Amino acid sequence: MKIEFEECLKDTPKFRQYLSKEENDIEHLEQRLERIIKMCTVAVDSGKDYIKNQSAFATSLWDLQKHFSNDKNAHNALGKVIHCFQEMNKYHTILLDQASRTVLKNLSVFVKDDINQVKDYKNHFTKVSESLDNALIKNAQASKNRPQEVQEAVNILAATKSCFQHTALDYVNYITLLQSRKIPAILSTLLDYYQACGTYFHQGSDLCNDFDEFFKSVSDEVNSMRSSYHQLEKSMQNRHTSVNDYTENNINQSVNRIEGYLFKRKSKGFKTWCRRWFYLCDNQLVYRKRSHEESYTVMEEDLRICTVRPFNDNDRRFCFEVISPTKSHILQADSADMLSAWINALQKSIGAALQFEPQTRRPSSSSPSSNIGSSKKKIHWEQFLKIPGNSTCCDCKGSEPRWASINLGITLCIACSGVHRSLGVHYSKVRSLTLDAWEPENVKVMMELGNDIINKIYEANYTEESGILQATENCENAIREAYIKAKYIEKKFVCQIDSVAIEMGLNAEGGNSENDQSDESKKWGVKKFRRRHRKDSSSKSDDDSINFPSMNLNLSREHLLLVGENLNNSTVQCDNRGILGSDQESTEGEDNIIEEGSLATFNSNLLLYKASAVHNLPVMSMAFALGADKLWKNSEDLNRTPLHQAVLSGSVMACEYLLLNGVPINTADDLGYTPLHLATQKGCIAQTYLLLKHKAQYDSEAKDGKKPIDIAVDKRNADIVTLLRLTRLNEEIGVNDEGNGEDETYKDVMKDFSNFASSQPRLLRNRNENASPSRNETEDKE
């Protein structure tokens, strides 16, 4: 059986495709058999040309063998038979009468009776199918305001559908039985002819004896086929009882696999209705015609931006509407049950797609900053692949990665991205390079890291002796999953903190090693860092070189060990489109500032704290890999968090990196200052916007009684005052408007701030500095 009977009952495109293939197959078989009959007739009628025509007959059998190229046993059996006939061809001079009674008669009967019977039933099936189509159209067109017309259409449809289902089963029955019978029918005819040859030709007896054993096995196989054929015939006759048990509830209606016919209203011209086979595929709603078409048409490319609802503004029943920001589609189901099933399945699919979307903040009336209109844009994703190591998958080294983990700063192939999604967003936040819109802050994070840096951190200690196979492009999914979990969750290949401490000159307990006991003045530090890029590879300068932080610890100057120095020296090139926007505008430059500390104090938490102060994302990544606590506060510095330090550094990318990796946003220091307080105090508009977008509490009060807006008013920073007041106003509007919180003016203004902060931060900062008091009057309170 090549087709399940349910496919016949559903009349799926797969069923129609099966019919087309089988019809072509039978036609091909008929042509070959007719040629065989013709050649045999010529051999009988043309005694003088018998030998020549016998050769042509053998040739036609070779063509027949090709028909069974997918059936090894039949293919081999035919090959043996044909070879035997060719050897016996020189002895066949008196077999004309026997050939006429075997080959010509049996195969002609097979063609006239069996094949023509299937062809006749094809015409009947086509007529019934057309009747069903007409009944479906009439049923769909029946006005719900005319009950009698509706009932008549329903009755006709039910009768026609039942007739069609029985006819379809009969048609498949005839085809299946024919395909099952053709091999034994043809082989048995040829075997009869072979036996006649052995009888009439004493000269070929020796040759026949050589093939007797083989042909005996073929004969047994044919008998077995015949027995199977009779059993199949009986089972096929019982299939009709399933029609009464079949209902449309048997259709697969899982969230991702619902499929079936819907009427689709055309959006142009006369807005006529056409019937198409719809299904869900990769967060897309697609459809195709019933037959003679392999390709499909995408109706909606991204279900995440769609909604679905019933549609009652016309006289057709069972209609619903799929709405996207740019268009609307009216579809019609066959029944109320199918209407409900489609709406529920589409809503669940939309929800499932949104759950797998990278973590962007959703509107919420309870959150004052939840409606901030993020400035997202499609990126020139090819530029990400120019970052060192990004041209291949970070984990399996597969080619052409098209996905990224935005909190890790790496590119991934589709197979590895699926495993990353399964880790959970607290480990990896996956986003498409080609399909998703990207926020400027995420782009900044991606440009600072890359596969080379992350792998030199997370694969530093990988060896084959670890007992874990390294993922490769074509490895099994179990190997890929085990490797990625060991790499990012268990962190088995990261240099342990004790090993790093010993390399820096410390023992495991935190004291100096024997070689360094006399040198108590040694310190460790993290250098201020920002990756630069250049547009022209032919012009290089000192500013073009990039010092990537590393796990190697080199003595940079006397008594100072820099963490993560000289991992790699390379440049990132990008074209004039320049997706890799620099963070230079939102920081205070490089200035070779180094955050230092005593070697005795070295630990992962302090490493993250100091790296955040100099916006050094690679070292921050190293600190997380070494086990830095996201909730840690520095008791030696007003109990501030790494996020406080990132804000003080002036870096948007450092703040975004910490927030992507789960560092709390509203933690207050000993003065009661949250990161939003400090961003307001420093006049960092881009950081203020970023914190509000991530749901920072805009009205928290410090110990001196000041809220962020009070600080902004004191600093006379009009833009930050506007941001904070709009956020508060939006919350009030949201509460008063039944929790909707969808004020369009607020979202437009916030989007403008995002665009300005991303594209022209220096101009935005200068504008506020010109309107602010002198720097002496705005000294940070620490």
Side-chain angles (χ1 to χ4, degrees):
M1 291 294 293
K2 297 183 179 179
I3 190 75
E4 293 294 334
F5 75 95
E6 275 198 0
E7 301 292 330
C8 309
L9 301 181
K10 290 190 292 184
D11 189 21
T12 64
K14 181 179 178 182
F15 168 62
R16 292 289 179 155
Q17 189 174 11
Y18 162 78
L19 288 183
S20 178
K21 179 180 179 300
E22 293 299 310
E23 288 164 356
N24 293 335
D25 187 84
I26 293 172
E27 182 179 357
H28 181 269
L29 175 62
E30 182 183 19
Q31 293 172 354
R32 295 297 178 268
L33 291 178
E34 288 178 349
R35 188 183 176 200
I36 292 173
I37 294 171
K38 179 180 179 181
M39 293 298 101
C40 188
T41 300
V42 171
V44 171
D45 295 338
S46 305
K48 293 181 180 181
D49 297 328
Y50 176 75
I51 299 302
K52 177 181 177 181
N53 292 329
Q54 185 75 348
S55 298
F57 173 50
T59 302
S60 68
L61 292 177
W62 283 118
D63 292 338
L64 177 63
Q65 187 195 30
K66 296 177 181 178
H67 176 79
F68 301 100
S69 58
N70 295 328
D71 190 327
K72 184 177 179 180
N73 291 335
H75 188 272
N76 293 338
L78 282 171
K80 292 280 189 179
V81 172
I82 296 168
H83 177 69
C84 181
F85 289 165
Q86 287 179 327
E87 290 296 317
M88 296 172 63
N89 189 40
K90 56 188 176 181
Y91 309 119
H92 291 174
T93 58
I94 58 173
L95 291 181
L96 302 181
D97 182 63
Q98 190 65 21
S100 178
R101 291 197 301 268
T102 55
V103 176
L104 291 180
K105 180 180 177 180
N106 293 344
L107 295 187
S108 296
V109 170
F110 182 81
V111 172
K112 291 179 181 179
D113 293 348
D114 296 72
I115 293 181
N116 288 342
Q117 184 183 38
V118 173
K119 293 171 68 175
D120 291 338
Y121 206 86
K122 174 187 176 182
N123 297 329
H124 177 61
F125 171 82
T126 301
K127 293 179 181 178
V128 174
S129 178
E130 291 174 353
S131 298
L132 177 59
D133 290 342
N134 294 332
L136 286 166
I137 294 174
K138 183 176 180 181
N139 179 68
Q141 293 175 339
S143 174
K144 57 187 176 185
N145 298 322
R146 299 178 181 177
Q148 183 175 358
E149 180 181 337
V150 170
Q151 186 59 42
E152 180 182 357
V154 169
N155 293 338
I156 293 174
L157 176 60
T160 308
K161 183 180 287 187
S162 177
C163 179
F164 171 82
Q165 290 170 337
H166 284 288
T167 303
L169 284 174
D170 282 338
Y171 189 29
V172 173
N173 182 21
Y174 283 121
I175 291 175
T176 304
L177 295 178
L178 172 65
Q179 296 287 33
S180 176
R181 185 173 179 269
K182 63 184 179 183
I183 296 177
I186 294 170
L187 285 179
S188 63
T189 297
L190 297 178
L191 285 174
D192 289 342
Y193 187 53
Y194 158 75
Q195 292 170 356
C197 291
T199 302
Y200 285 101
F201 291 101
H202 177 74
Q203 294 170 317
S205 62
D206 292 339
L207 180 63
C208 292
N209 290 333
D210 293 337
F211 284 92
D212 276 345
E213 183 177 352
F214 171 77
F215 285 126
K216 182 179 179 181
S217 65
V218 173
S219 180
D220 293 339
E221 187 173 353
V222 169
N223 291 332
S224 177
M225 290 181 182
R226 284 175 174 166
S227 177
S228 299
Y229 163 78
H230 290 305
Q231 293 177 1
L232 177 62
E233 184 179 22
K234 291 180 181 179
S235 65
M236 292 296 293
Q237 291 174 351
N238 296 328
R239 294 286 185 177
H240 288 279
T241 60
S242 62
V243 174
N244 297 330
D245 300 331
Y246 179 79
T247 65
E248 289 184 338
N249 293 330
N250 296 120
I251 298 175
N252 186 355
Q253 297 178 2
S254 64
V255 171
N256 296 320
R257 293 298 301 171
I258 187 169
E259 56 183 0
Y261 285 109
L262 295 172
F263 281 92
K264 166 184 167 294
R265 190 177 75 177
K266 294 183 179 180
S267 58
K268 298 181 181 179
F270 294 101
K271 295 188 177 180
T272 57
W273 295 79
C274 55
R275 193 165 180 255
R276 297 290 183 263
W277 181 267
F278 281 81
Y279 56 98
L280 302 177
C281 178
D282 296 332
N283 293 337
Q284 295 179 333
L285 179 60
V286 301
Y287 66 88
R288 57 176 293 188
K289 295 181 180 178
R290 183 170 63 182
S291 59
H292 306 300
E293 184 177 327
E294 290 291 338
S295 61
Y296 60 84
T297 302
V298 178
M299 172 172 279
E300 277 299 336
E301 294 184 352
D302 193 345
L303 287 177
R304 293 176 298 182
I305 60 175
C306 296
T307 57
V308 59
R309 66 184 182 185
F311 184 80
N312 299 314
D313 294 341
N314 66 345
D315 63 347
R316 284 192 172 227
R317 301 167 298 153
F318 318 133
C319 293
F320 62 98
E321 185 177 19
V322 179
I323 307 170
S324 71
T326 58
K327 51 191 172 181
S328 170
H329 309 281
I330 307 300
L331 303 173
Q332 181 185 18
D334 292 338
S335 64
D337 290 339
M338 290 307 299
L339 170 66
S340 176
W342 271 102
I343 292 178
N344 292 336
L346 283 169
Q347 289 175 342
K348 291 179 181 180
S349 296
I350 292 170
L354 291 173
Q355 288 181 0
F356 285 108
E357 183 182 19
Q359 295 296 301
T360 54
R361 301 295 178 179
R362 302 285 176 201
S364 172
S365 60
S366 62
S367 172
S369 60
S370 60
N371 291 315
I372 293 177
S374 300
S375 175
K376 297 182 179 181
K377 61 181 181 180
K378 287 288 184 178
I379 60 170
H380 303 294
W381 57 271
E382 296 91 344
Q383 297 299 321
F384 274 143
L385 303 185
K386 295 182 180 181
I387 297 174
N390 281 15
S391 61
T392 59
C393 175
C394 185
D395 295 328
C396 74
K397 307 304 182 290
S399 59
E400 299 183 354
R402 296 295 181 265
W403 298 82
S405 173
I406 58 175
N407 64 308
L408 292 173
I410 57 177
T411 59
L412 301 165
C413 67
I414 188 171
C416 290
S417 71
V419 180
H420 274 257
R421 286 188 188 277
S422 69
L423 301 182
V425 294
H426 51 296
Y427 287 105
S428 184
K429 296 178 172 67
V430 179
R431 182 168 294 183
S432 171
L433 294 178
T434 58
L435 300 177
D436 290 325
W438 283 64
E439 298 173 2
E441 307 87 55
N442 298 151
V443 174
K444 293 180 184 295
V445 171
M446 287 292 295
M447 76 162 289
E448 291 297 305
L449 297 170
N451 296 357
D452 274 2
I453 289 177
I454 297 303
N455 279 337
K456 289 186 179 180
I457 295 172
Y458 281 88
E459 295 181 355
N461 279 350
Y462 177 78
T463 60
E464 295 182 356
E465 288 74 19
S466 63
I468 299 176
L469 295 177
Q470 190 167 20
T472 59
E473 184 173 6
N474 299 315
C475 68
E476 295 180 0
N477 191 60
I479 295 176
R480 190 187 309 272
E481 183 176 346
Y483 178 76
I484 291 176
K485 287 183 177 180
K487 181 177 178 180
Y488 297 105
I489 297 181
E490 302 170 15
K491 300 174 183 176
K492 287 189 175 183
F493 316 133
V494 176
C495 282
Q496 299 301 311
I497 188 69
D498 290 346
S499 301
V500 177
I502 292 173
E503 189 175 355
M504 293 181 62
L506 299 173
N507 58 30
E509 286 73 27
N512 291 340
S513 62
E514 295 180 1
N515 296 335
D516 294 323
Q517 287 181 352
S518 61
D519 192 356
E520 299 179 355
S521 63
K522 278 191 176 181
K523 296 183 177 181
W524 66 275
V526 183
K527 183 179 179 181
K528 182 176 283 190
F529 171 81
R530 178 186 59 80
R531 171 179 281 170
R532 303 179 181 88
H533 69 273
R534 56 186 174 84
K535 298 178 181 179
D536 184 5
S537 60
S538 62
S539 60
K540 295 184 179 180
S541 65
D542 291 340
D543 272 350
D544 286 332
S545 64
I546 304 175
N547 289 327
F548 293 84
S550 92
M551 293 296 292
N552 298 324
L553 304 166
N554 302 322
L555 188 61
S556 178
R557 70 170 188 256
E558 187 177 2
H559 304 307
L560 178 64
L561 290 166
L562 287 183
V563 179
E565 184 73 356
N566 299 325
L567 172 64
N568 194 356
N569 290 313
S570 63
T571 56
V572 177
Q573 302 180 27
C574 63
D575 57 26
N576 292 331
R577 296 175 294 181
I579 67 159
L580 299 180
S582 171
D583 198 44
Q584 175 73 22
E585 301 288 358
S586 61
T587 66
E588 299 175 358
E590 297 305 301
D591 299 333
N592 292 324
I593 296 176
I594 298 175
E595 278 287 317
E596 299 182 5
S598 170
L599 278 179
T601 66
F602 178 78
N603 59 68
S604 59
N605 293 327
L606 196 57
L607 180 62
L608 177 62
Y609 191 78
K610 292 189 178 295
S612 301
V614 290
H615 50 77
N616 194 323
L617 262 64
V619 176
M620 294 166 69
S621 178
M622 182 199 306
F624 278 127
L626 292 173
D629 184 1
K630 299 174 183 179
L631 305 178
W632 183 80
K633 297 189 287 186
N634 190 354
S635 60
E636 302 297 326
D637 186 14
L638 299 176
N639 272 316
R640 286 180 171 171
T641 67
L643 186 56
H644 285 95
Q645 294 298 90
V647 171
L648 292 174
S649 77
S651 172
V652 172
M653 66 187 183
C655 294
E656 176 71 4
Y657 178 72
L658 291 172
L659 292 171
L660 286 174
N661 284 281
V663 173
I665 194 172
N666 293 316
T667 304
D669 61 15
D670 288 343
L671 301 177
Y673 275 35
T674 65
L676 184 59
H677 281 88
L678 295 185
T680 304
Q681 188 179 64
K682 286 181 64 64
C684 296
I685 300 171
Q687 288 183 333
T688 302
Y689 168 81
L690 177 66
L691 293 169
L692 289 174
K693 184 181 72 174
H694 282 279
K695 299 185 179 182
Q697 294 179 1
Y698 72 96
D699 57 352
S700 59
E701 188 172 306
K703 291 184 178 179
D704 58 9
K706 289 188 176 182
K707 299 179 181 179
I709 194 168
D710 300 325
I711 299 174
V713 171
D714 292 344
K715 298 290 184 178
R716 301 180 186 177
N717 193 312
D719 288 321
I720 293 182
V721 170
T722 301
L723 282 169
L724 292 167
R725 285 180 175 172
L726 280 174
T727 302
R728 182 180 64 187
L729 178 62
N730 181 69
E731 183 186 42
E732 295 173 355
I733 292 175
V735 172
N736 294 332
D737 193 20
E738 298 181 358
N740 185 24
E742 292 290 341
D743 184 69
E744 295 297 329
T745 302
Y746 170 74
K747 291 195 292 184
D748 290 342
V749 172
M750 298 301 277
K751 186 174 182 179
D752 289 341
F753 267 107
S754 174
N755 290 329
F756 217 145
S758 173
S759 60
Q760 294 179 301
R762 178 175 294 176
L763 180 61
L764 192 63
R765 187 170 62 246
N766 291 342
R767 184 178 71 180
N768 283 277
E769 287 178 352
N770 293 335
S772 301
S774 65
R775 285 191 176 273
N776 292 333
E777 297 178 9
T778 60
E779 193 70 20
D780 291 348
K781 296 180 180 181
E782 298 191 25

